[in-house]
Protein backbone atom coordinates (compact mmCIF):
# COMPACT_ATOMS: atom_id res chain seq x y z
CA UNK A 1 0.00 0.00 0.00
CA UNK A 2 0.97 3.66 -0.20
CA UNK A 3 1.75 3.56 3.50
CA UNK A 4 4.74 1.42 2.79
CA UNK A 5 3.72 -1.21 5.30
CA UNK A 6 3.14 -1.35 9.00
CA UNK A 7 6.75 -0.85 10.06
CA UNK A 8 6.61 2.71 8.84
CA UNK A 9 4.54 3.70 11.85
CA UNK A 10 6.79 2.11 14.43
CA UNK A 11 6.79 5.16 16.65
CA UNK A 12 3.09 5.63 16.36
CA UNK A 13 1.69 2.13 16.23
CA UNK A 14 2.49 0.80 19.69
CA UNK A 15 -0.74 1.96 21.28
CA UNK A 16 -2.99 2.04 18.24
CA UNK A 17 -4.21 -0.61 15.85
CA UNK A 18 -5.90 1.21 13.05
CA UNK A 19 -3.48 2.42 10.41
CA UNK A 20 -5.70 5.28 9.27
CA UNK A 21 -6.05 6.48 12.84
CA UNK A 22 -2.27 6.42 13.26
CA UNK A 23 -1.86 8.37 10.06
CA UNK A 24 -4.34 11.02 11.17
CA UNK A 25 -2.59 11.28 14.49
CA UNK A 26 0.78 11.81 12.84
CA UNK A 27 -0.73 14.45 10.58
CA UNK A 28 -2.20 16.31 13.57
CA UNK A 29 1.16 16.10 15.32
CA UNK A 30 2.92 17.41 12.21
CA UNK A 31 0.69 20.49 12.12
CA UNK A 32 1.64 21.17 15.72
CA UNK A 33 5.29 20.43 14.92
CA UNK A 34 5.34 23.13 12.25
CA UNK A 35 3.64 25.65 14.53
CA UNK A 36 5.77 24.89 17.56
CA UNK A 37 9.16 24.68 15.90
CA UNK A 38 9.81 20.95 16.22
CA UNK A 39 10.98 20.82 12.61
CA UNK A 40 14.44 21.75 11.46
CA UNK A 41 16.77 21.15 8.56
CA UNK A 42 20.02 19.28 8.23
CA UNK A 43 22.33 19.97 5.29
CA UNK A 44 24.34 17.36 3.44
CA UNK A 45 27.37 18.49 1.42
CA UNK A 46 27.72 17.74 -2.27
CA UNK A 47 31.47 17.63 -2.84
CA UNK A 48 33.68 18.00 -5.91
CA UNK A 49 35.82 14.85 -5.99
CA UNK A 50 38.69 16.71 -7.63
CA UNK A 51 38.92 19.79 -5.41
CA UNK A 52 37.28 18.54 -2.25
CA UNK A 53 35.20 21.71 -2.15
CA UNK A 54 31.57 21.77 -1.10
CA UNK A 55 29.60 22.98 -4.11
CA UNK A 56 26.10 22.54 -2.73
CA UNK A 57 24.23 21.51 0.41
CA UNK A 58 20.98 19.57 0.30
CA UNK A 59 18.41 20.55 2.92
CA UNK A 60 16.82 17.50 4.54
CA UNK A 61 13.92 17.82 6.92
CA UNK A 62 14.15 16.58 10.49
CA UNK A 63 11.41 16.25 13.12
CA UNK A 64 12.00 15.79 16.80
CA UNK A 65 8.70 14.92 18.44
CA UNK A 66 8.67 15.92 22.14
CA UNK A 67 7.55 12.42 23.27
CA UNK A 68 8.26 10.14 20.36
CA UNK A 69 11.73 11.39 19.50
CA UNK A 70 13.05 11.58 15.97
CA UNK A 71 10.66 10.64 13.19
CA UNK A 72 12.32 10.16 9.80
CA UNK A 73 11.22 12.06 6.69
CA UNK A 74 10.66 8.70 5.03
CA UNK A 75 7.80 8.31 7.53
CA UNK A 76 6.28 11.76 7.79
CA UNK A 77 6.74 13.21 4.28
CA UNK A 78 4.37 10.65 2.67
CA UNK A 79 1.77 11.41 5.36
CA UNK A 80 2.10 15.16 4.74
CA UNK A 81 1.86 14.50 0.98
CA UNK A 82 -1.57 12.96 1.45
CA UNK A 83 -2.82 16.32 2.69
CA UNK A 84 -2.28 20.01 2.01
CA UNK A 85 0.25 20.14 4.80
CA UNK A 86 3.13 19.26 2.46
CA UNK A 87 2.68 22.69 0.86
CA UNK A 88 3.24 24.36 4.22
CA UNK A 89 6.15 22.11 5.14
CA UNK A 90 7.70 22.65 1.71
CA UNK A 91 7.37 26.42 1.89
CA UNK A 92 8.86 26.43 5.37
CA UNK A 93 11.84 24.33 4.19
CA UNK A 94 12.40 26.56 1.18
CA UNK A 95 12.43 29.68 3.32
CA UNK A 96 14.67 28.21 6.04
CA UNK A 97 17.14 26.76 3.54
CA UNK A 98 17.48 30.03 1.62
CA UNK A 99 18.01 31.95 4.86
CA UNK A 100 20.71 29.51 5.91
CA UNK A 101 22.42 29.71 2.53
CA UNK A 102 22.82 33.49 2.87
CA UNK A 103 25.50 32.78 5.49
CA UNK A 104 27.50 30.54 3.17
CA UNK A 105 30.01 31.56 0.49
CA UNK A 106 28.30 32.56 -2.75
CA UNK A 107 29.91 29.66 -4.59
CA UNK A 108 27.88 27.24 -2.46
CA UNK A 109 24.36 26.41 -3.60
CA UNK A 110 21.45 25.13 -1.57
CA UNK A 111 19.22 22.28 -2.77
CA UNK A 112 15.66 21.88 -1.55
CA UNK A 113 13.39 18.88 -2.13
CA UNK A 114 10.06 19.67 -3.76
CA UNK A 115 7.21 17.19 -3.52
CA UNK A 116 5.19 16.38 -6.64
CA UNK A 117 2.19 17.70 -4.69
CA UNK A 118 3.84 21.12 -4.40
CA UNK A 119 4.85 21.02 -8.06
CA UNK A 120 1.24 20.33 -9.05
CA UNK A 121 0.12 23.45 -7.19
CA UNK A 122 -0.33 26.37 -9.60
CA UNK A 123 0.72 28.79 -6.89
CA UNK A 124 4.12 27.17 -6.41
CA UNK A 125 6.19 29.53 -8.61
CA UNK A 126 4.74 32.47 -6.66
CA UNK A 127 5.86 30.80 -3.43
CA UNK A 128 9.39 30.43 -4.79
CA UNK A 129 9.37 34.00 -6.07
CA UNK A 130 8.28 35.25 -2.66
CA UNK A 131 11.06 33.33 -0.89
CA UNK A 132 13.64 34.68 -3.35
CA UNK A 133 12.37 38.22 -2.86
CA UNK A 134 12.19 38.05 0.92
CA UNK A 135 15.56 36.41 1.47
CA UNK A 136 17.37 38.17 -1.37
CA UNK A 137 19.27 35.02 -2.30
CA UNK A 138 20.61 34.84 -5.86
CA UNK A 139 18.13 32.62 -7.75
CA UNK A 140 20.86 30.51 -9.35
CA UNK A 141 22.08 29.49 -5.90
CA UNK A 142 18.79 27.69 -5.32
CA UNK A 143 18.38 24.21 -6.74
CA UNK A 144 14.96 22.55 -6.60
CA UNK A 145 15.09 18.74 -6.46
CA UNK A 146 12.20 17.10 -8.30
CA UNK A 147 11.48 13.42 -8.83
CA UNK A 148 9.93 11.71 -11.83
CA UNK A 149 6.62 11.61 -9.97
CA UNK A 150 6.02 15.21 -11.13
CA UNK A 151 5.37 13.87 -14.62
CA UNK A 152 2.08 12.14 -13.79
CA UNK A 153 0.02 15.24 -14.45
CA UNK A 154 -1.08 17.03 -17.60
CA UNK A 155 2.00 17.64 -19.77
CA UNK A 156 1.03 21.18 -20.77
CA UNK A 157 0.66 22.05 -17.10
CA UNK A 158 4.04 20.47 -16.37
CA UNK A 159 5.65 22.47 -19.16
CA UNK A 160 4.10 25.71 -17.90
CA UNK A 161 5.40 24.97 -14.42
CA UNK A 162 8.93 24.34 -15.74
CA UNK A 163 8.87 27.58 -17.65
CA UNK A 164 7.61 29.57 -14.69
CA UNK A 165 10.37 28.16 -12.47
CA UNK A 166 13.12 28.62 -15.05
CA UNK A 167 11.93 32.21 -15.57
CA UNK A 168 12.67 32.81 -11.90
CA UNK A 169 16.27 31.78 -12.54
CA UNK A 170 16.39 28.84 -10.16
CA UNK A 171 18.08 25.55 -11.02
CA UNK A 172 16.24 22.27 -11.39
CA UNK A 173 17.59 18.83 -10.52
CA UNK A 174 16.08 15.45 -11.34
CA UNK A 175 16.37 13.42 -8.13
CA UNK A 176 16.54 9.62 -7.67
CA UNK A 177 17.38 9.19 -11.36
CA UNK A 178 17.09 5.68 -12.68
CA UNK A 179 14.51 4.41 -10.21
CA UNK A 180 11.39 5.30 -12.18
CA UNK A 181 10.06 4.31 -15.59
CA UNK A 182 10.69 6.27 -18.77
CA UNK A 183 13.39 8.63 -17.59
CA UNK A 184 14.72 9.37 -21.08
CA UNK A 185 11.52 10.84 -22.44
CA UNK A 186 11.42 13.13 -19.42
CA UNK A 187 14.87 14.44 -20.27
CA UNK A 188 13.84 15.30 -23.82
CA UNK A 189 11.77 18.32 -22.93
CA UNK A 190 12.49 19.12 -19.33
CA UNK A 191 15.01 21.86 -18.57
CA UNK A 192 17.00 20.12 -15.83
CA UNK A 193 20.39 21.51 -14.84
CA UNK A 194 21.39 18.41 -12.92
CA UNK A 195 20.72 14.71 -12.61
CA UNK A 196 21.11 12.95 -9.27
CA UNK A 197 22.04 9.30 -9.74
CA UNK A 198 20.14 7.18 -7.25
CA UNK A 199 21.98 5.49 -4.39
CA UNK A 200 20.78 2.05 -5.50
CA UNK A 201 23.33 2.10 -8.37
CA UNK A 202 26.14 2.99 -5.99
CA UNK A 203 25.17 0.23 -3.56
CA UNK A 204 26.00 -2.41 -6.15
CA UNK A 205 28.61 -0.57 -8.25
CA UNK A 206 31.52 -2.59 -6.87
CA UNK A 207 29.89 -5.92 -7.76
CA UNK A 208 31.30 -7.15 -11.09
CA UNK A 209 28.20 -9.19 -11.93
CA UNK A 210 25.94 -6.17 -11.71
CA UNK A 211 25.71 -3.57 -14.46
CA UNK A 212 25.55 -0.69 -11.98
CA UNK A 213 29.01 0.74 -12.66
CA UNK A 214 28.36 0.75 -16.41
CA UNK A 215 24.96 2.35 -15.86
CA UNK A 216 26.57 5.10 -13.75
CA UNK A 217 29.06 5.70 -16.58
CA UNK A 218 26.23 5.86 -19.10
CA UNK A 219 24.17 8.27 -17.00
CA UNK A 220 27.20 10.55 -16.52
CA UNK A 221 27.79 10.44 -20.29
CA UNK A 222 24.16 11.14 -21.10
CA UNK A 223 24.07 13.97 -18.60
CA UNK A 224 27.27 15.52 -20.02
CA UNK A 225 25.92 15.24 -23.57
CA UNK A 226 22.79 17.11 -22.52
CA UNK A 227 24.85 19.79 -20.79
CA UNK A 228 23.75 18.82 -17.31
CA UNK A 229 25.70 18.25 -14.12
CA UNK A 230 25.58 14.91 -12.35
CA UNK A 231 25.66 14.21 -8.62
CA UNK A 232 26.12 10.64 -7.52
CA UNK A 233 24.23 9.99 -4.30
CA UNK A 234 24.81 7.65 -1.41
CA UNK A 235 28.54 6.98 -1.72
CA UNK A 236 29.60 5.45 1.59
CA UNK A 237 32.83 3.56 0.96
CA UNK A 238 36.20 4.30 -0.60
CA UNK A 239 35.94 1.49 -3.18
CA UNK A 240 32.59 2.93 -4.30
CA UNK A 241 34.16 6.39 -4.64
CA UNK A 242 36.95 4.90 -6.77
CA UNK A 243 34.44 3.28 -9.14
CA UNK A 244 32.23 6.35 -9.35
CA UNK A 245 35.28 8.54 -10.05
CA UNK A 246 36.55 6.14 -12.72
CA UNK A 247 33.13 6.33 -14.41
CA UNK A 248 33.51 10.07 -14.84
CA UNK A 249 31.49 11.45 -11.95
CA UNK A 250 32.60 14.84 -10.66
CA UNK A 251 30.19 15.48 -7.80
CA UNK A 252 29.41 13.14 -4.95
CA UNK A 253 27.01 13.26 -2.01
CA UNK A 254 27.28 10.57 0.62
CA UNK A 255 28.40 9.50 4.04
CA UNK A 256 31.97 9.05 2.74
CA UNK A 257 32.28 12.84 2.79
CA UNK A 258 29.64 13.79 5.32
CA UNK A 259 26.30 12.90 6.80
CA UNK A 260 23.63 15.61 6.81
CA UNK A 261 24.78 18.26 9.29
CA UNK A 262 22.98 20.64 11.66
CA UNK A 263 23.10 24.24 10.45
CA UNK A 264 25.70 25.36 12.99
CA UNK A 265 28.12 22.64 11.90
CA UNK A 266 27.79 23.52 8.23
CA UNK A 267 29.68 26.79 8.61
CA UNK A 268 32.69 25.25 10.31
CA UNK A 269 32.81 22.47 7.70
CA UNK A 270 32.79 24.99 4.90
CA UNK A 271 35.37 27.12 6.69
CA UNK A 272 37.75 24.23 7.36
CA UNK A 273 36.58 23.38 3.89
CA UNK A 274 38.34 20.47 2.41
CA UNK A 275 37.05 16.96 2.13
CA UNK A 276 40.05 15.91 0.04
P1 LIG B 1 16.43 12.07 -0.95
O1 LIG B 1 15.94 13.39 -1.44
O2 LIG B 1 16.83 11.08 -1.97
O3 LIG B 1 17.62 12.41 0.06
C1 LIG B 1 18.77 11.61 0.22
C2 LIG B 1 18.62 10.68 1.40
O4 LIG B 1 19.72 9.78 1.41
C3 LIG B 1 18.66 11.38 2.76
O5 LIG B 1 17.85 10.64 3.65
C4 LIG B 1 20.15 11.26 3.13
O6 LIG B 1 20.37 11.36 4.52
C5 LIG B 1 20.42 9.86 2.63
N1 LIG B 1 21.83 9.63 2.35
C6 LIG B 1 22.74 10.49 1.80
N2 LIG B 1 23.93 9.92 1.67
C7 LIG B 1 23.82 8.65 2.14
C8 LIG B 1 24.73 7.56 2.26
O7 LIG B 1 25.91 7.62 1.91
N3 LIG B 1 24.23 6.41 2.80
C9 LIG B 1 22.94 6.29 3.20
N4 LIG B 1 22.54 5.13 3.72
N5 LIG B 1 22.04 7.30 3.09
C10 LIG B 1 22.49 8.47 2.56
P2 LIG B 1 16.76 11.35 4.61
O8 LIG B 1 17.30 12.64 5.13
O9 LIG B 1 16.29 10.32 5.58
O10 LIG B 1 15.58 11.70 3.61
C11 LIG B 1 14.83 10.69 3.00
C12 LIG B 1 13.92 11.26 1.95
O11 LIG B 1 12.89 12.07 2.54
C13 LIG B 1 14.61 12.17 0.93
O12 LIG B 1 15.30 11.38 -0.03
C14 LIG B 1 13.43 12.91 0.38
O13 LIG B 1 12.75 12.12 -0.58
C15 LIG B 1 12.55 13.07 1.61
N6 LIG B 1 12.76 14.42 2.19
C16 LIG B 1 13.64 14.82 3.11
N7 LIG B 1 13.50 16.15 3.36
C17 LIG B 1 12.51 16.58 2.54
C18 LIG B 1 11.89 17.87 2.32
O14 LIG B 1 12.26 18.93 2.89
N8 LIG B 1 10.88 17.90 1.40
C19 LIG B 1 10.47 16.78 0.73
N9 LIG B 1 9.45 16.90 -0.16
N10 LIG B 1 11.04 15.58 0.91
C20 LIG B 1 12.04 15.48 1.81
CA1 LIG C 1 16.81 14.90 -2.74
CA1 LIG D 1 17.78 11.26 -4.00
CA1 LIG E 1 15.05 9.00 -2.39
Amino acid sequence: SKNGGRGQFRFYSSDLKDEEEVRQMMLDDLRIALEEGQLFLHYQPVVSIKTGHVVCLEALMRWEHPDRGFVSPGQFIPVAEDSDLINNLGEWALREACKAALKWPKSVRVAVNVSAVQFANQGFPAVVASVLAHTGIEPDRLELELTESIFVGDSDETERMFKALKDLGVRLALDDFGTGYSSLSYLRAAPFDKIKVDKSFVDSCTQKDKNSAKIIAAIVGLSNALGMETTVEGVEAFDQLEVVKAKGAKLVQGYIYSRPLPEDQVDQHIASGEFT
Side-chain angles (χ1 to χ4, degrees), residues 26-27 30-31 34 80-81 83-90:
M26 191 190 272
L27 191 56
L30 256 179
R31 286 186 210 283
L34 184 59
E81 282 178 328
S83 86
D84 277 349
L85 190 61
I86 190 63
N87 293 313
N88 306 70
L89 291 185

Side-chain angles (χ1 to χ4, degrees), residues 84-234:
D84 277 349
L85 190 61
I86 190 63
N87 293 313
N88 306 70
L89 291 185
E91 181 170 351
W92 171 83
L94 202 55
R95 210 172 282 281
E96 286 301 303
C98 288
K99 276 195 279 180
L102 288 176
K103 298 179 216 141
W104 309 336
K106 292 207 168 169
S107 60
V108 180
R109 296 192 171 104
V110 63
V112 181
N113 290 286
V114 175
S115 162
V117 178
Q118 290 174 269
F119 189 86
N121 182 346
Q122 293 211 1
F124 181 62
V127 168
V128 177
S130 151
V131 170
L132 292 173
H134 284 101
T135 59
I137 190 174
E138 294 82 353
D140 66 353
R141 287 186 62 199
L142 173 62
E143 199 161 82
L144 302 178
E145 296 198 0
L146 308 165
T147 61
E148 284 180 9
S149 57
I150 60 163
F151 291 102
V152 293
D154 175 73
S155 61
D156 290 342
E157 271 305 311
T158 306
E159 209 174 306
R160 267 198 292 279
M161 185 57 76
F162 274 128
K163 186 169 185 317
L165 293 174
K166 286 312 294 181
D167 285 351
L168 293 174
V170 299
R171 287 164 52 92
L172 303 177
L174 183 53
D175 202 356
D176 301 342
F177 188 78
T179 57
Y181 294 100
S182 49
S183 317
L184 297 184
S185 69
Y186 299 146
L187 291 178
R188 195 165 48 205
F192 291 107
D193 302 286
K194 177 187 271 187
I195 288 176
K196 298 191 79 175
V197 180
D198 192 69
K199 177 180 186 301
S200 56
F201 295 102
V202 175
D203 289 340
S204 49
C205 77
T206 53
Q207 290 169 246
K208 293 271 179 290
D209 57 329
K210 298 273 162 61
N211 287 321
S212 301
K214 289 173 190 162
I215 293 171
I216 292 171
I219 297 174
V220 170
L222 174 67
S223 188
N224 286 345
L226 294 172
M228 302 182 204
E229 286 183 354
T230 320
T231 296
V232 179
E233 286 193 283

Side-chain angles (χ1 to χ4, degrees), residues 70-82:
F70 286 97
V71 186
S72 80
Q75 293 179 291
F76 69 78
I77 294 286
V79 172
E81 282 178 328
D82 268 359

